[in-house]
Amino acid sequence: MASLRRPYLVSRPLYSEESFAEQHEKIHRPHKTLWNHVVEYFTWDLKRAKKAGLSLLPIIGWMRIYQVRQWLLGDILSGISTGLVAVMQGLAFSMLANLPPSYGLYTAFFPMLTYFFLGTSRHISVGAFPVLSLMVGAVVINMVPDVDPPLDGTALQEQDQKRVMVASSMTFLVGIYQLGMGLLQVGFVVKYLSDTLVSGFTTAAAVTIVVSQLKFVLGLVVPGISGPLAIIYTLEKIFVQITSTNTCDLVTSILIMAVVFVYKEINDIYKDKLPVPIPVEVIVTVLACAVSYVFEFEKNFEVGVVGKMASGYEAPVAPNINVMKESVMEAFPVAIVGFAVAFSVAKVYSVKHDYTIDGNQELIAFGVSNIFGASFKSFAASTALSRTAIQESSGGKTQIAGLVSAMMAMIVTVALGFLLEPLPKSVLGALVIVNLKGMLMQVTILPSLWRKDKLDFVVWTQFPRCSVLANITGTDLYRDRKDYLCIVEPQGVKIFKIPSPIFFANVDFFREKLIEAVGFNPLKVLRKRDKAMRKIAKFNEKIHVGMSLKNTDEKGWGDLPAVPDEPLQIDQIDWNSGNLPAHISVPRVDLHSLLLDFAAVSFLDIAGVVGLKTVLKEFIRVGIDVYIVSCDECVLEKLHKCQFFDHKVTKSIFYPSLHDAMLTILGQQREPNLQLANTKL
């Protein structure tokens, strides 16, 4: 503590900005005009054309590195598992869209065919998503409402076809929106959807979905209702008929939900020990279908069943222009939400598996997929976290798994659909509800959210001009190192400045620019080190075996090869020493100290706090000392309120000024030859 209180004296002229500029000449750096950017955008050569081709067809990139022997079997098995779940979810989610169940299989097939070629994510499972299905269903029921008494026979088929046309035409418009945004390079719009906004929206949608499925769970005939207070009116109609509940439907639904819920809880506990996730939804659906067929649920217990399934595919049709005109306003949020959900899930797995995804290309991929799918009467497609988790955890490495999944949906549609006709609709309703657990549980964050952040602040800037600072020779001033010649940059120290608040819309940008400034990704370094440690552990194990054999040899067991060197102590490894075994390669990290200048950070929202702490821990785990300087008191107070500090990220890393932190670092590193600001220690 005494070393932290050492005084320093600075002797330099008193500067105004004008006098400072006179003494320290600034480097002139020409900046591009808008016209320069336009000319550059429309200037093409062979290299850029090749890059554009690879960008528009990401399949070329990952197919070139595809490891057939290592990946193909995993992709096929993963595709089969995911396809079975996609079939069940397609049937269930199509009911949310107020469409016949078989059209959910179309959504599990057609959009995937184009995403396979155009998508940048290798792991997401493209198909129906409950929130999108609900949003499409609201438009469908508004344009083609239920009638009382319910229709039957030919009239019901005509109503279904009208609803299919509404859903597909709206989906076509959704695809146009997404494709247009992708071509205009506006994929960044998703950054304006904060985590709290998305979680709030999906939680509210989950409640609406639960209410919409109660009529199937209870076996009641309730007309679809849209518009304000639709939930209240739907609940009213349900409770008016509550005494007419179909006991068989209710018991079946409760059993299905109990089995699936208990399995998912157990699976969360033992998922690391299961080589392949068990598709419990498929198992209970098959059993329910078999029981319904044997005991004739429809005839004996008046249970509503899936009924006649469409066999094969219909010819492509053009969208209805009138429907598109009437759904212009409703289609846009569907396009945004569908992309935001898919991009968020894709981003999680791209980080986990160390590859990049392109937001603009994802918009193009989903836009084309929805346009193509709508032509064959599918409805809006995105992804579902549960399906994607199955596809990734069961061994899927690329979208070949997604293609196999689509083939599974095709097989059911073309050849096996009739087997699902006795399936009770209450089973599908139960599966929808139990799969909403994650969304519904988001409501538990409300008390914490209220304590941490009562206001969402206005978005002032999204892409600030970040910079790396250096010391102006002979002063205690730090400026952008690109602007001056007479600067000092201590070896192993990097000073990074972000001149804006850190919040949900730019926290990823902050991380990207920081990684660019330091020249390496700490997560990649950690993965390399973890891999090296596993190799060293095996290396040490061989050494111990060799020593045991040598001891045995001393007792007269014959000639044995020489024992390797002494075991490496894992907890004492110096990753930058260069003394690691020849077969182990780990990237050097020459940085020992990172300073973050927070002078212009006026606030952080919750996403900013979480993102900042994640970044700090990544660098700390690599062995880099992190310092935050010139932090406003209000920001510090917010960090305390959000439980930012722990045993790794402590308040001791905060310094009142950049120069205080720099002198502390130099004192610890003992570099007396570096003269900063004529400092006298």
Side-chain angles (χ1 to χ4, degrees):
M1 294 300 295
S3 63
L4 294 180
R5 299 192 184 98
R6 291 177 298 171
Y8 71 86
L9 303 176
V10 179
S11 175
R12 66 169 173 82
L14 181 62
Y15 288 123
S16 65
E17 287 293 335
E18 183 179 16
S19 60
F20 179 82
E22 290 175 355
Q23 184 168 346
H24 299 276
E25 183 179 357
K26 195 170 184 178
I27 299 173
H28 174 68
R29 289 189 291 149
H31 296 282
K32 293 181 180 179
T33 64
L34 178 59
W35 176 250
N36 295 140
H37 286 288
V38 172
V39 171
E40 182 179 341
Y41 183 80
F42 287 102
T43 301
W44 284 74
D45 54 22
L46 182 61
K47 183 178 180 181
R48 187 172 180 188
K50 181 180 178 181
K51 183 178 179 182
L54 292 174
S55 175
L56 288 174
L57 289 173
I59 185 176
I60 298 174
W62 60 261
M63 282 296 286
R64 287 183 353 196
I65 62 170
Y66 194 83
Q67 302 174 29
V68 177
R69 292 184 178 179
Q70 290 83 359
W71 293 358
L72 184 58
L73 180 60
D75 276 340
I76 293 174
L77 295 177
S78 170
I80 294 172
S81 301
T82 309
L84 293 173
V85 176
V87 167
M88 298 303 111
Q89 290 189 349
L91 296 173
F93 296 162
S94 63
M95 292 167 54
L96 291 175
N98 293 297
L99 302 174
S102 57
Y103 287 89
L105 301 182
Y106 291 7
T107 308
F109 176 67
F110 288 108
M112 184 63 236
L113 297 183
T114 48
Y115 187 87
F116 176 77
F117 294 98
L118 301 175
T120 59
S121 173
R122 303 175 193 170
H123 292 89
I124 64 171
S125 173
V126 177
F129 176 62
V131 175
L132 286 195
S133 302
L134 180 72
M135 296 172 76
V136 172
V139 176
V140 168
I141 204 66
N142 185 49
M143 293 190 182
V144 188
D146 286 325
V147 295
D148 196 15
L151 299 175
D152 197 3
T154 305
L156 180 60
Q157 292 180 0
E158 291 178 355
Q159 183 189 63
D160 286 343
Q161 287 304 312
K162 290 179 181 178
R163 290 183 171 181
V164 169
M165 178 56 70
V166 170
S168 61
S169 298
M170 180 186 176
T171 299
F172 194 93
L173 184 57
V174 168
I176 291 176
Y177 279 138
Q178 291 175 330
L179 178 59
M181 288 189 291
L183 294 175
L184 294 173
Q185 304 285 289
V186 292
F188 64 86
V189 294
V190 71
K191 294 181 181 293
Y192 290 104
L193 302 178
S194 66
D195 292 340
T196 50
L197 173 64
V198 172
S199 63
F201 176 82
T202 52
T203 302
V207 173
T208 306
I209 292 170
V210 170
V211 173
S212 71
Q213 296 304 292
L214 287 178
K215 62 182 180 182
F216 299 112
V217 170
L218 300 175
L220 302 175
V221 179
V222 179
I225 301 173
S226 61
L229 301 179
I231 292 180
I232 304 299
Y233 294 136
T234 301
L235 288 174
E236 179 190 14
K237 291 185 177 296
I238 289 174
F239 283 111
V240 166
Q241 306 179 56
I242 198 69
T243 55
S244 303
T245 297
N246 187 304
T247 306
C248 184
D249 273 323
L250 180 60
V251 172
T252 301
S253 300
I254 292 174
L255 285 175
I256 293 293
M257 286 190 283
V259 170
V260 175
F261 179 81
V262 170
Y263 165 78
K264 287 183 178 290
E265 292 298 310
I266 295 175
N267 182 67
D268 288 341
I269 298 173
Y270 298 104
K271 60 183 178 182
D272 294 333
K273 298 181 180 179
L274 293 174
V276 178
I278 301 173
V280 65
E281 291 97 338
V282 178
I283 295 173
V284 298
T285 300
V286 171
L287 291 176
C289 199
V291 172
S292 174
Y293 175 77
V294 171
F295 292 98
E296 298 183 329
F297 275 14
E298 183 181 18
K299 178 180 178 181
N300 297 331
F301 303 102
E302 298 182 351
V303 169
V305 297
V306 169
K308 184 66 176 177
M309 292 281 291
S311 179
Y313 296 106
E314 303 175 25
V317 296
N320 187 297
I321 301 300
N322 292 327
V323 171
M324 293 175 67
K325 289 179 180 179
E326 293 183 34
S327 61
V328 166
M329 298 300 296
E330 291 85 352
F332 186 72
V334 173
I336 294 295
V337 171
F339 167 63
V341 170
F343 184 77
S344 299
V345 175
K347 187 176 175 183
V348 170
Y349 289 98
S350 69
V351 171
K352 180 177 180 180
H353 293 277
D354 195 19
Y355 64 90
T356 59
I357 55 174
D358 184 340
N360 294 314
Q361 181 62 25
E362 285 295 291
L363 273 170
I364 292 174
F366 275 101
V368 174
S369 296
N370 278 317
I371 290 173
F372 179 70
S375 301
F376 291 90
K377 298 185 178 181
S378 73
F379 54 88
S382 180
T383 189
L385 182 58
S386 58
R387 284 200 315 273
T388 300
I390 291 174
Q391 182 164 312
E392 187 268 346
S393 61
S394 58
K397 300 293 184 182
T398 67
Q399 281 302 341
I400 286 179
L403 191 62
V404 173
S405 171
M407 294 302 107
M408 296 292 295
M410 182 192 70
I411 292 171
V412 173
T413 302
V414 173
L416 303 179
F418 70 95
L419 296 175
L420 296 172
E421 292 178 1
L423 179 65
K425 289 185 178 180
S426 56
V427 172
L428 297 177
L431 289 177
V432 170
I433 291 174
V434 80
N435 272 289
L436 295 174
K437 177 201 166 190
M439 293 185 192
L440 293 171
M441 291 303 292
Q442 291 176 137
V443 75
T444 59
I445 70 171
L446 286 178
S448 173
L449 186 62
W450 176 258
R451 290 193 305 270
K452 295 177 181 178
D453 195 351
K454 297 181 177 63
L455 296 175
D456 278 334
F457 292 91
V458 176
V459 177
W460 293 103
T461 176
Q462 181 186 355
F463 301 123
R465 181 180 175 274
C466 300
S467 56
V468 175
L469 307 183
N471 174 250
I472 301 295
T473 305
T475 75
D476 61 345
L477 303 178
Y478 296 80
R479 298 293 174 93
D480 191 332
R481 67 178 181 180
K482 294 180 181 179
D483 290 338
Y484 297 93
L485 294 175
C486 298
I487 57 174
V488 177
E489 289 187 276
Q491 186 177 1
V493 180
K494 194 75 70 176
I495 309 170
F496 181 79
K497 181 175 183 177
I498 177 169
S500 79
I502 302 176
F503 56 107
F504 67 89
N506 72 354
V507 65
D508 291 332
F509 177 81
F510 162 70
R511 182 179 185 276
E512 291 168 5
K513 286 297 180 182
L514 180 56
I515 290 174
E516 181 183 320
V518 299
F520 65 90
N521 187 330
L523 276 181
K524 291 185 177 180
V525 173
L526 286 170
R527 291 194 189 103
K528 291 284 187 180
R529 290 183 180 180
D530 289 341
K531 186 177 180 180
M533 289 178 69
R534 290 193 294 270
K535 288 184 177 179
I536 291 173
K538 292 181 180 179
F539 178 76
N540 288 344
E541 185 178 346
K542 291 180 180 179
I543 291 177
H544 287 304
V545 171
M547 287 182 172
S548 300
L549 292 175
K550 181 179 180 181
N551 293 334
T552 304
D553 178 58
E554 291 174 352
K555 297 178 181 179
W557 287 91
D559 296 330
L560 289 172
V563 178
D565 298 334
E566 291 296 319
L568 293 170
Q569 300 300 318
I570 293 180
D571 58 345
Q572 298 177 3
I573 295 175
D574 182 358
W575 297 106
N576 292 328
S577 65
N579 296 326
L580 297 173
H583 66 286
I584 295 177
S585 175
V586 178
R588 285 181 59 87
V589 176
D590 295 322
L591 193 70
H592 58 72
S593 300
L594 174 62
L595 289 83
L596 302 179
D597 187 346
F598 269 35
V601 179
S602 57
F603 73 83
L604 297 91
D605 67 357
I606 292 178
V609 172
V610 173
L612 175 63
K613 187 170 183 177
T614 301
V615 171
L616 295 189
K617 284 193 171 182
E618 289 173 2
F619 281 100
I620 290 172
R621 288 178 62 195
V622 175
I624 296 173
D625 296 326
V626 181
Y627 303 82
I628 297 178
V629 303
S630 305
C631 187
D632 189 90
E633 285 294 329
C634 294
V635 174
L636 271 174
E637 184 180 342
K638 177 65 174 289
L639 295 176
H640 276 290
K641 189 182 296 184
C642 293
Q643 288 88 47
F644 178 79
F645 300 104
D646 57 24
H647 66 286
K648 287 188 177 180
V649 181
T650 65
K651 195 175 178 180
S652 63
I653 69 173
F654 286 78
Y655 280 74
S657 77
L658 206 165
H659 205 56
D660 285 295
M662 180 62 78
L663 293 179
T664 301
I665 293 170
L666 296 181
Q668 292 173 347
Q669 297 298 320
R670 296 181 180 178
E671 297 183 23
N673 294 329
L674 287 170
Q675 298 296 323
L676 296 184
N678 299 328
T679 303
K680 299 179 181 179
L681 296 176

